[in-house]
């Protein structure tokens, strides 16, 4: 199965929320990969966390992730 990136976020908490939401909606994202040392995320990648889903799910997952990120970034009244 081939995977493709659907989003890249700087914050690990945001990445975890996206993973849970994707799974809750029936998608199959890869688990987050850390730098290899406990407690040291992003050791090899300063660009943040990449969320990947199977290529067959990419178009639908992109819509969901885009909506979720927009909601998460909008100010609350």
């Amino acid at each position: 199965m081939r995977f493709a990136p659907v989003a890249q976020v700087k914050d690990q908490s945001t990445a975890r929320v996206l993973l849970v939401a994707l799974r809750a909606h029936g998608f199959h994202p890869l688990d987050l990969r850390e730098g290899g040392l406990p407690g040291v995320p992003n050791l090899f990648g300063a660009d943040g966390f990449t969320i990947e889903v199977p290529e067959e799910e990419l178009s639908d997952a992109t819509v969901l992730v885009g909506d979720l990120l927009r909601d998460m970034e909008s100010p609350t009244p």
Side-chain angles (χ1 to χ4, degrees), residues 18 21-25 27 59-69:
L18 292 175
L22 283 166
R23 286 189 186 109
H25 285 85
F27 295 99
S59 63
D60 292 334
T62 301
V63 173
L64 176 61
V65 168
D67 288 344
L68 289 170
L69 287 173

Side-chain angles (χ1 to χ4, degrees), residues 5-6 10 22 29 31 52 55-56 60 77:
V6 69
K10 297 264 185 204
L22 283 166
D31 289 328
E52 296 178 276
E55 287 181 338
E56 305 84 46
D60 292 334

Side-chain angles (χ1 to χ4, degrees), residues 27-45:
F27 295 99
H28 303 91
L30 287 178
D31 289 328
L32 292 179
R33 290 176 248 152
E34 293 194 9
L37 299 173
V40 184
N42 294 340
L43 182 63
F44 301 111

